Amino acid sequence: MSGRVLVGVKRVIDYAVKIRVKPDNTGVVTDGVKHSMNPFCEIAVEEAVKLKEKKLIKEVVAVSCGPQQSQETIRTALAMGADRGIHVDVSGKDYENLGPLQVSKILAALAKQEDAQLILLGKQAIDDDCNQTGQMTAALLDWPQGTFASEVSLEGDKINLVREIDGGLEHIKINTPAVITADLRLNTPRYATLPNIMKAKKKKIVTVKPADLGVDVTSRLEVLKVEEPPQRQAGMKVETVEDLVVKLKEAGRV
Amino acid sequence: MAAVGALSRIARLGSRICKNRVTLSGNSQRRGIAACIDPSHGLTDEQKEFQKVAFDFAANEMAPHMAEWDQKEIFPVETMRKVAQLGFGGIYVQPDVGGSGLSRLDTSIIFEALSTGCVSTTAYISIHNMCAWMIDSYGNKEQREKFCPDLCSMEKFASYCLTEPGSGSDAASLLTSAQRKGDHYVLNGSKAFISGGGDTDVYVVMCRTGGKGPKGISCLVVEKGTPGLSFGKKEKKVGWNSQPTRAVIFEDCAVPVANRLGEEGQGFNFAMKGLNGGRINIASCSLGAAHASVQLARDHLLVRKQFGETLSNNQFLQFKLAEMATKLVASRLLIREAAQALQEDRPDAVAICSMAKLFATDECFNICNQALQMHGGYGYLKDYAVQQFVRDIRVHQILEGTNEVMRMIISRNLLSES
């Protein structure tokens, strides 16, 4: 086993920014808006670095797909303790249409190229909320997947995982190599320290193009329209429970 | 980091001011960044990283406790040790003794960001940094190795002792005497308004070993627990309540000669050099408070309605906000220029640092005060952070050299024959 972990990190609009829809309804405003690493990706990086500190894995490689600015996100991962970075350069229209299917094809190709033992991702990105990349990557590689992980422990060449599911907590054991997606309670990401930020400057980031990995990034999806959620309507008061049931039936809710 | 912290916290309360006051002190409001006052403009990628860590830390670890630390007068030792783990305990101290070896500009950026979380605590951290730097820069090998690592990790805390009941602005007239007796100095006298006094471990003390005036002053490092070292009562202050302030009293206090930094008579020189950096740091703390206050004011104007519309539609308030933002950015630029000048040891460094301290502390206080005014009656309540910013930075116009003394320094630079 190579002892190498690939961690996917996505550059997204910062969680605290108020999102505005573009006037032409083709998307949201991203120019000049503050961006940062997707919070679930931060948790994934933290888990990878923890595994390395426990000496269970040997190398953490941070990967990001996007334009030049994605390198900032990789640098943050390096400052948290990743060893090196791979920036998959996707810009312009390709970047606007980049979705989970293309990213998972890229990650699958990189996993093979880097001989990765484990792929750690955030469960979803806070911009599109797709929650698909981890699952698709596992399918493309025909690897087991441990999604919504709230606890991860390595045991030999197997992984014990606790998953947060609707019914409660599910304990599973999967083989490696595998894909794990991080949920909120997996860990609390560390702050990068000043010395680590400075060390991160010396770590390498390699840039590749999707074509180099044999991946076609054309999208199979077309965004028709992006609009704000409807304004909240006023509610209605009713006198009796019977009235409530009648109204619910009228609205087609029951 | 910040995002995860916010997500894990219980769902955001609504923005209606009357019902949910506490929210306005919450982190989420402060992180909304208006482009023209964005403090990351003009910084290198690396500086942006430092700044991000400092902002995240301030939002997550300091801002939620800022009011409690103020009201209960808590010296947040654990939080400061976390700050030190990030490398902020000795930011411009050299790495070989545990410091981070960064520049004055990097330091200013970091303190500005931390200050948005709690001015009082950040101001203390900056004083602690200055003490660590003084020992690092002017101490010999033994002194650096003995004191600096523990200060950089904040295993031990430091206080800076220059001011006395009888000598504030006229610092060179200090009276605390240090009489040489063999391999010890015996100290007698008292220091006033010492930040951290009584709770800290290492005291960097300016005392008189020689004759009158600046040339008779030397710098001694005194450790807590030394017989003859005692403290006055904890002062009750308008702000800066997360750091205790006490008189430091020396009664036949014997300090080893080995604890003297540099030679006899060099103390005042060290003090003046230390103050240049200290002035930039204090000004940076004012800057952080003003930045946070502008954001609080802006958010309030967008929410509060009177006369049928939000306050943000009122032209007077729009113009006032614009003026606040302009003065904020002007202060920031002057401080960063001063930091550069100090780093490069330019001939005008002392004057520029004084200008930055004078301008920024005055303007930033006005900004915070104006932000309080914009909050109306709510601004006067301790549930809202803006009043704490006003109270905390008021003293920045007084210490590290009063703004009157800053004018003395600047006019001297302008009027003296070169």
Side-chain angles (χ1 to χ4, degrees), chain B residues 232-399:
Chain B
K233 72 170 186 9
K234 185 169 160 186
E235 308 287 6
K236 297 197 201 83
K237 310 190 292 290
V238 165
W240 271 34
N241 287 322
S242 73
Q243 29 164 315
T245 303
R246 294 188 176 90
V248 176
I249 302 159
F250 304 99
E251 289 169 302
D252 290 332
C253 178
V255 176
V257 173
N259 280 19
R260 188 190 69 222
L261 295 184
E263 298 304 318
E264 282 194 13
Q266 284 190 312
F268 199 69
N269 213 331
F270 300 162
M272 292 303 104
K273 294 234 169 77
L275 282 174
N276 291 328
R279 285 166 188 165
I280 296 175
N281 294 344
I282 281 295
S284 305
C285 291
S286 286
L287 199 56
H291 179 84
S293 298
V294 168
Q295 293 193 150
L296 288 172
R298 192 255 262 127
D299 292 341
H300 180 88
L301 294 182
L302 288 169
V303 170
R304 174 70 173 178
K305 279 187 172 169
Q306 284 289 268
F307 305 112
E309 40 178 27
T310 55
L311 296 185
S312 57
N313 283 337
N314 178 297
Q315 191 180 60
F316 181 83
L317 294 176
Q318 291 169 351
F319 283 9
K320 258 286 170 249
L321 191 66
E323 288 165 14
M324 286 158 66
T326 306
K327 298 262 170 68
L328 174 69
V329 175
S331 301
R332 183 177 288 141
L333 289 174
L334 186 46
I335 290 172
R336 291 184 180 176
E337 174 68 13
Q340 266 305 103
L342 188 61
Q343 186 68 37
E344 292 165 13
D345 204 17
R346 296 201 317 232
D348 62 338
V350 173
I352 284 238
C353 289
S354 304
M355 285 177 163
K357 197 266 186 189
L358 168 61
F359 187 81
T361 53
D362 277 348
E363 291 305 329
C364 290
F365 179 76
N366 292 337
I367 290 169
C368 292
N369 198 24
Q370 188 58 48
L372 192 157
Q373 181 77 8
M374 285 174 163
H375 277 73
Y378 297 102
Y380 206 58
L381 302 181
K382 285 200 172 172
D383 304 287
Y384 289 74
V386 70
Q387 46 76 36
Q388 191 174 336
F389 285 125
V390 172
R391 287 187 290 110
D392 278 343
I393 69 168
R394 177 61 183 89
V395 73
H396 296 194
Q397 295 168 281
I398 299 171
L399 40 68

Side-chain angles (χ1 to χ4, degrees), chain A residues 14 76 191 194 198 201, chain B residues 31 46 49 60-61 86 102:
Chain A
D14 188 274
T76 307
Y191 295 101
L194 292 187
M198 296 192 301
K201 273 205 308 197
Chain B
R31 282 183 58 114
E46 195 184 52
E49 280 289 332
N60 281 338
E61 310 284 338
L86 298 181
L102 295 184

Side-chain angles (χ1 to χ4, degrees), chain A residues 14-16 34 36 39-40 42-43 72 75-76 79-80 184 187 189-195 197-198 201, chain B residues 1-4 6-8 12 28 31 33 46 49-50 52-53 56-57 60-61 85-88 100 102 110:
Chain A
D14 188 274
Y15 78 94
K34 183 163 164 61
S36 33
F40 295 105
E42 284 179 5
I43 298 176
E72 287 164 20
R75 285 255 170 256
T76 307
M80 284 172 74
L184 192 62
N187 59 49
R190 64 194 60 194
Y191 295 101
T193 65
L194 292 187
I197 293 174
M198 296 192 301
K201 273 205 308 197
Chain B
M1 289 193 180
V4 177
L7 286 175
S8 321
R12 278 190 215 182
S28 46
R31 282 183 58 114
I33 317 263
E46 195 184 52
E49 280 289 332
F50 301 148
K52 182 178 183 314
V53 174
D56 285 351
F57 189 88
N60 281 338
E61 310 284 338
Q85 273 170 23
L86 298 181
F88 296 159
S100 300
L102 295 184
I110 290 168

Side-chain angles (χ1 to χ4, degrees), chain A residues 61-124:
Chain A
V61 183
V63 179
S64 194
C65 305
Q68 180 66 17
Q69 296 95 315
S70 294
Q71 293 203 8
E72 287 164 20
T73 315
I74 300 178
R75 285 255 170 256
T76 307
L78 295 176
M80 284 172 74
D83 297 295
R84 59 183 167 90
I86 300 177
H87 166 221
V88 182
D89 191 10
V90 179
S91 19
K93 263 266 160 253
D94 282 342
Y95 178 58
E96 280 170 41
N97 295 329
L98 193 66
L101 182 56
Q102 299 100 307
V103 173
S104 36
K105 287 179 183 171
I106 291 172
L107 289 177
L110 279 174
K112 291 200 189 108
Q113 183 186 291
E114 298 288 329
D115 187 27
Q117 176 187 343
L118 191 57
I119 300 181
L120 264 165
L121 305 172
K123 71 170 179 180
Q124 66 199 59

